[in-house]
């Protein structure tokens, strides 16, 4: 009997020894000024954040975590309260981090790989963009239209820099993947589904990642995103479109009939007698919040004078649209066909958001690209 017990113990010890010998990566360092605070090591997975380990910091602030090495590059983060330090791991490397509690998420020092230095650069660039965006949004002396144009310019400049210096410069590196998924006010800066130029960025990284790690979950997920984006943004074959007579009412308006948040069909022509701004848009875009803020200022200013907004969402996710549009005061409808909507062709929409003005007689008055001052154009029609 004793021999059997010893034999089982020996097997257990061998098993534990084998587990200890698994290749691991280490994260170690010091966090100053954080005595008695909890520091968490978390994985940033495809399905969300997963807690891996934690430790209570002592007076020295030193910490050390060890985890099984991932089979392909993966992303992790150190979290202190609601502040995080993002980093990547693609080997049995040791990542060393030193930080202060007050500027934990931005002024940290990290050693271990080029990837993590680049990820820090991207974090700082995004933080600077967010700060400038917040500053612009708080300046009430700037007209909404000018503020939106300035924001668009800031985002485009940011995207061009990141494309040039991080994504296309080294699409095979984990930091290029990290750059694709940065966000602004909860919205992805790079749009993988409806922006043709952004889809090219995702495709470059997906190709490199798939060549190096064809069986990795991230490779398959990114590849699927690119396929969807390419389908959504492909140039449709040019063909003569017959506009059904029931779509044309009055002088020059093409009627739109779509369901609102409550499932009721709303017709554009039912708004005859009002000045209407037609807005083709997507809510799941970094620019959406600023765009709707500009529209709300116009709506608050002119709604009592007979102004209305007929906003058409082309979002693929119905739940996301309903959640985002729930508190908007104007007419919100959605076309489930997304970028394949027949109304896009009928109105010759070439980019999003895209706006049109309709006068009180249901006549199309102007397209967005031809309107220099939207506020003034609405005022004249009223």
């Amino acid at each position: 009997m004793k021999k059997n017990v010893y034999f089982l113990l020996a097997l257990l010890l061998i098993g534990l020894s084998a587990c200890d010998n698994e290749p691991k990566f280490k994260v170690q360092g010091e966090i100053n000024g954080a005595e008695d605070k909890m520091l968490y090591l978390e994985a940033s997975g495809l399905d969300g954040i997963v807690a891996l380990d934690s430790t209570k910091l002592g007076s020295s602030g030193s910490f050390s975590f060890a985890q099984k090495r991932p089979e392909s590059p993966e992303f992790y983060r150190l979290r202190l309260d609601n502040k995080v330090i993002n980093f990547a791991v693609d080997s049995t490397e040791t990542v060393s981090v030193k930080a202060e509690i007050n500027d934990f998420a931005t002024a940290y020092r990290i050693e271990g790989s080029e990837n993590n230095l680049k990820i820090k650069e991207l974090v700082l660039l995004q933080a600077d963009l967010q700060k400038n965006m917040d500053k612009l949004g708080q300046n009430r002396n700037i007209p909404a239209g000018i503020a939106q144009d300035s924001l668009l310019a800031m985002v485009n400049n940011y995207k061009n820099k990141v494309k040039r210096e991080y994504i296309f410069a080294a699409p095979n590196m984990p930091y290029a993947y990290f750059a694709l998924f940065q966000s602004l006010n909860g919205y992805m800066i790079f749009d993988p589904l409806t922006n043709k130029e952004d889809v090219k960025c995702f495709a470059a990284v997906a190709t490199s990642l798939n060549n190096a790690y064809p069986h990795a979950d991230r490779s398959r997920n990114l590849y699927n995103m690119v396929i969807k984006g390419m389908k959504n943004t492909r140039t449709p074959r040019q063909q003569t479109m017959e506009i059904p007579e029931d779509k044309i009412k009055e002088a020059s308006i093409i009627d739109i009939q779509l369901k609102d948040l409550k499932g009721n069909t709303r017709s554009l022509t039912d708004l005859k007698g009002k000045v209407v701004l037609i807005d083709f848009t997507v809510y799941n875009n970094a620019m959406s919040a600023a765009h709707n803020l500009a529209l709300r200022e116009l709506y608050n200013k002119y709604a009592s004078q007979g102004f209305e907004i007929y906003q058409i969402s082309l979002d693929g996710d119905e739940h996301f649209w309903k959640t985002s549009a729930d508190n908007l005061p104007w007419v919100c409808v959605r076309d489930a066909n997304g970028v394949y909507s027949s109304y896009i062709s009928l109105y010759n929409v070439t980019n999003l958001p895209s706006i049109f003005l309709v006068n009180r007689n249901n006549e199309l008055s102007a397209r967005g690209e031809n309107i220099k001052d939207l506020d003034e154009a609405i005022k004249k029609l009223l």
Side-chain angles (χ1 to χ4, degrees), residues 124-140:
L124 294 179
L125 286 172
Q126 188 274 341
D128 191 51
L129 176 63
Q130 183 71 65
K131 182 177 68 175
N132 290 333
M133 177 182 173
D134 293 342
K135 185 178 179 181
L136 184 65
Q138 292 165 6
N139 191 339
R140 297 301 177 186

Side-chain angles (χ1 to χ4, degrees), residues 65-221:
F65 296 118
Q67 289 290 320
K68 181 182 176 182
R69 183 197 68 183
E71 295 181 359
S72 58
E74 280 297 337
F75 297 88
Y76 302 86
R77 66 184 204 174
L78 293 171
R79 179 172 62 82
L80 186 68
D81 294 332
N82 61 343
K83 301 175 183 178
V84 300
I85 294 175
N86 292 287
F87 63 95
V89 171
D90 61 0
S91 68
T92 54
E93 63 195 309
T94 296
V95 178
S96 297
V97 178
K98 292 185 178 181
E100 306 283 339
I101 187 172
N102 292 330
D103 48 14
F104 178 79
T106 55
Y108 63 92
R109 300 177 298 283
I110 190 164
E111 299 174 355
S113 72
E114 178 191 7
N115 273 311
N116 292 323
L117 293 176
K118 293 290 187 181
I119 285 175
K120 181 184 176 182
E121 290 176 10
L122 286 163
V123 167
L124 294 179
L125 286 172
Q126 188 274 341
D128 191 51
L129 176 63
Q130 183 71 65
K131 182 177 68 175
N132 290 333
M133 177 182 173
D134 293 342
K135 185 178 179 181
L136 184 65
Q138 292 165 6
N139 191 339
R140 297 301 177 186
N141 296 322
I142 302 177
I146 295 176
Q148 186 175 348
D149 289 343
S150 298
L151 176 59
L152 181 61
M154 282 194 297
V155 172
N156 285 336
N157 289 338
Y158 178 88
K159 289 170 72 172
N160 289 334
K161 178 180 177 65
V162 171
K163 286 178 186 180
R164 182 177 64 253
E165 299 180 13
Y166 296 90
I167 296 175
F168 290 133
N172 60 317
M173 300 296 281
Y175 64 78
Y177 181 98
F178 180 84
L180 293 176
F181 293 92
Q182 287 190 291
S183 62
L184 195 63
N185 284 347
Y187 294 95
M188 288 177 62
I189 297 173
F190 288 93
D191 177 3
L193 297 179
T194 61
N195 187 303
K196 192 171 186 177
E197 293 304 311
D198 289 358
V199 171
K200 292 178 182 178
C201 298
F202 281 81
V205 177
T207 300
S208 295
L209 194 62
N210 193 59
N211 288 338
Y213 306 98
H215 302 298
D217 289 341
R218 287 192 187 273
S219 299
R220 292 194 293 267
N221 181 68

Side-chain angles (χ1 to χ4, degrees), residues 44 73 75 90 101 137 153-154 225 241 259 272 283 286 355-356:
S44 300
F75 297 88
D90 61 0
I101 187 172
M154 282 194 297
M225 290 177 69
M241 175 168 285
K259 291 184 178 180
K272 183 178 180 180
Y283 290 77
I355 63 172
F356 302 82

